[in-house]
Amino acid sequence: PARLVVEGDHEIARGIAFAAGTFDKRIGARSTNSGAEFSGSVALRADSTNIKFFAEGATDRAVFSGEISGGEAGLNVEINPGGAEGTVQFTGNDKTYANMTYVRGGLLEVAAGTTLSAPVIVEPGIGGSAVVGGSGTFSGGVEVAAGGILAPGTGVGVMASSGQTWEAAGALEIEISDPSGGAGVGWDLLGVDGIVNITASPEDPFLVRVISLEAPGGFSPDSAVSWKVVQSSEGIIGFSPGNFVIDATEFVTGPGG
């Protein structure tokens, strides 16, 4: 195996290239505060497998601000495998690599202004959870498998994506700060350029978790209200209210609410 691990809040500005071969290759960080940054370019080869990016602990952050390019669509990249549970952030230059990207734990955050071209599958191990979030663009689309969580925005914000698939036991987290503020401003919005395909069922539903960032002023829980949280250019396949469960336990309506 090959490892490049940054201990603490340091920056790697030199370019990194993965070697050919099937052996395990990992780049990541541990023991960080504000985060370790990889600002140089990262090049993937078309004949290099078993590539992983990670932030080890729950409070660790590995920031990739340089370009990540190359790769092969038939190969995979893993984010936070093997129990890693921190935040891997893609920011700065677009990430144009081709490899299918599996998020196994922690958070993969694509920052505003950054595009990730590779298709993403949020698929943690059995009994685990993994999150994809941020206000960037997932132009390769996102598939949310069991235990996977889709969390648009950083705080309240807008996530852009091409087509998505929502499977049984996956989840969408929507944060609300101002019920009258509008989609993407007062609450999260997922903008999909393509189709949202729902494969959940009443027996194995998809969870929508609604979270208030603060007690919303002027909101009456006794009044009917609707918030647009998903906007799809080509519609939604498989939609039925019975395929969803709403979790509002983290939505605070006000004192005593």
Side-chain angles (χ1 to χ4, degrees):
R3 304 282 190 274
L4 176 57
V5 183
V6 175
E7 297 263 2
D9 297 339
H10 303 291
E11 179 181 356
I12 302 292
R14 291 180 178 273
I16 300 168
F18 284 97
T22 60
F23 60 94
D24 190 87
K25 312 167 193 71
R26 302 187 182 213
I27 298 177
R30 64 167 67 104
S31 303
T32 69
N33 291 307
S34 58
E37 182 174 0
F38 298 84
S39 59
S41 61
V42 178
L44 281 58
R45 291 175 55 120
D47 54 359
S48 182
T49 62
N50 289 323
I51 294 171
K52 284 100 172 173
F53 300 111
F54 73 94
E56 189 169 280
T59 60
D60 286 327
R61 176 179 289 268
V63 179
F64 293 84
S65 58
E67 181 183 15
I68 305 179
S69 62
E72 166 61 46
L75 301 178
N76 299 333
V77 161
E78 289 187 289
I79 306 294
N80 284 336
E85 53 184 352
T87 296
V88 173
Q89 183 188 54
F90 288 168
T91 187
N93 289 291
D94 289 341
K95 315 309 174 193
T96 60
Y97 69 88
N99 301 42
M100 181 77 74
T101 300
Y102 288 84
V103 184
R104 301 299 193 189
L107 167 65
L108 170 61
E109 177 189 341
V110 177
T114 298
T115 296
L116 171 59
S117 300
V120 173
I121 299 178
V122 196
E123 186 180 64
I126 296 174
S129 67
V131 185
V132 160
S135 297
T137 299
F138 292 79
S139 65
V142 179
E143 178 180 334
V144 185
I149 299 170
L150 189 64
T154 303
V156 168
V158 179
M159 175 189 289
S161 172
S162 62
Q164 296 207 354
T165 298
W166 296 357
E167 299 180 3
L172 172 68
E173 286 190 351
I174 297 297
E175 294 179 321
I176 298 176
S177 62
D178 180 359
S180 61
V185 179
W187 63 86
D188 288 330
L189 175 66
L190 172 64
V192 178
D193 184 10
I195 294 172
V196 177
N197 183 29
I198 299 166
T199 62
S201 67
E203 294 75 25
D204 292 298
F206 189 87
L207 178 68
V208 178
R209 184 177 294 117
V210 183
I211 302 168
S212 56
L213 299 183
E214 56 189 63
F219 175 79
S220 171
D222 299 320
S223 301
V225 65
S226 64
W227 297 303
K228 179 171 70 175
V229 297
V230 179
Q231 181 172 293
S232 174
S233 66
E234 297 183 28
I236 298 175
I237 296 174
F239 177 82
S240 171
N243 295 338
F244 294 87
V245 169
I246 307 298
D247 177 5
T249 57
E250 295 182 66
F251 182 80
V252 179
T253 59

